[in-house]
Amino acid sequence: MNQEEQAVPQTTVALFGDCATHITAGIYRHTRAMGLMNWVSIQSPKSSCFENLQREKLDSVQMPNYDKRICLLDAHKTAIEFLLGEKADYLVLDCNDCRKDIIVEQGTQACEPCITDDSNQESFKQVLDIIFQGRPIRKIPWTEIPREKYAEAARAICKAIGTVYQADEIVLLKHYNATAYFDEQGRYGYSQDKISESDRTTEIIKYVEDIIEAEFPNLHVIDFPEHVLGDLHHVFGL
């Protein structure tokens, strides 16, 4: 690296979104060397604020420290505090984790206190056992979370973000489920059930995006491109 390259100031970024936002940013791990300040993922907006769950440690759970941090930030409702704790040049966010289900204690009629469901991780059951202290739990599918709860959560998150970031320092990254994919034999359309599911998730994501754009009228938007295809061999599947 020459002196001119060294003199170029590094642009720093904070991220609040799903795996696609991190991959788009070229970030696969939490590293300041890449300009990443604070990174929060796998969070239903419904679960990112409001009532706190027990403050338990997860030392006994065999999972990466990053995943432990995400689970604890979610359980303690400190994800937004962490995200905003050290200001970056830009905050990049998406609304795709609106499609995440939530976990509440059995018998609880409301949507909180809750934690975002991440059952695709084998160790997540241990996390739930510790956080809920062995009490019976139940899953609330995202489709059963009332729209007003999404709106309430989105506005609360925007209010907190607005205390640190101006609209022109915020980037909304839009991306949705693909409705067709490639495999070894060529391009195939999803089943009608898969397309219907994709349409439902896109609808709630756009609903929350509209709220964010209304709260920050001058934010930057990176729109979803046309003709996006899925990949049968994607690490997370179709």
Side-chain angles (χ1 to χ4, degrees):
M1 182 181 292
N2 59 39
Q3 288 185 346
E4 183 178 348
E5 288 173 324
Q6 288 178 335
V8 176
Q10 183 183 59
T11 299
T12 56
V13 176
L15 298 180
F16 185 55
D18 71 354
C19 57
T21 290
H22 305 148
I23 293 170
T24 300
I27 295 166
Y28 299 90
R29 60 190 183 279
H30 191 161
T31 168
R32 287 176 180 269
M34 300 176 73
L36 177 62
M37 301 290 285
N38 301 319
W39 170 11
V40 177
S41 70
I42 317 175
Q43 296 262 315
S44 165
K46 177 66 201 76
S47 187
S48 292
C49 45
F50 305 118
E51 191 172 344
N52 181 13
L53 288 167
Q54 288 82 2
R55 292 184 173 272
E56 301 291 341
K57 293 184 178 180
L58 301 177
D59 296 340
S60 61
V61 180
Q62 296 300 309
M63 65 193 307
N65 286 335
Y66 167 73
D67 295 318
K68 288 184 182 180
R69 174 171 68 78
I70 290 299
C71 287
L72 286 174
L73 287 175
D74 192 358
H76 301 167
K77 310 309 166 202
T78 52
I80 305 303
E81 178 184 338
F82 174 83
L83 178 72
L84 304 177
E86 187 174 357
K87 187 179 184 300
D89 294 320
Y90 292 96
L91 170 64
V92 179
L93 74 158
D94 68 66
C95 305
N96 284 52
D97 284 333
C98 291
R99 72 192 192 281
K100 290 285 187 179
D101 302 328
I102 58 176
I103 304 291
V104 298
E105 190 171 335
Q106 188 73 38
T108 301
Q109 298 302 314
C111 294
E112 68 261 348
C114 64
I115 186 170
T116 306
D117 181 33
D118 194 23
S119 299
N120 60 320
Q121 287 204 59
E122 292 182 9
S123 51
F124 189 64
K125 185 180 183 301
Q126 299 175 55
V127 172
L128 295 177
D129 287 342
I130 291 172
I131 289 175
F132 288 96
Q133 299 179 338
R135 296 187 297 274
I137 58 176
R138 69 183 179 97
K139 179 190 293 189
I140 299 180
W142 70 266
T143 52
E144 296 180 14
I145 300 173
R147 283 286 183 95
E148 59 267 22
K149 291 293 185 181
Y150 277 110
E152 183 183 7
R155 292 191 177 100
I157 291 169
C158 286
K159 182 178 180 180
I161 289 173
T163 64
V164 177
Y165 289 92
Q166 301 295 319
D168 62 358
E169 298 172 323
I170 300 170
V171 181
L172 177 61
L173 180 59
K174 296 184 176 182
H175 50 279
Y176 313 111
N177 289 347
T179 55
Y181 68 92
F182 272 118
D183 67 5
E184 295 90 341
Q185 300 176 10
R187 177 179 174 175
Y188 293 83
Y190 282 133
S191 68
Q192 189 57 48
D193 287 346
K194 189 71 176 178
I195 293 174
S196 297
E197 178 188 347
S198 176
D199 289 344
R200 289 196 302 272
T201 58
T202 298
E203 182 183 3
I204 189 61
I205 289 167
K206 287 185 174 181
Y207 173 74
V208 177
E209 286 174 345
D210 287 346
I211 293 172
I212 291 174
E213 290 187 81
E215 294 290 324
F216 299 108
N218 298 316
L219 87 173
H220 305 282
V221 176
I222 300 177
D223 226 330
F224 188 68
E226 296 181 358
H227 312 303
V228 173
L229 299 176
D231 185 347
L232 183 66
H233 302 293
H234 190 282
V235 64
F236 296 127
L238 291 171

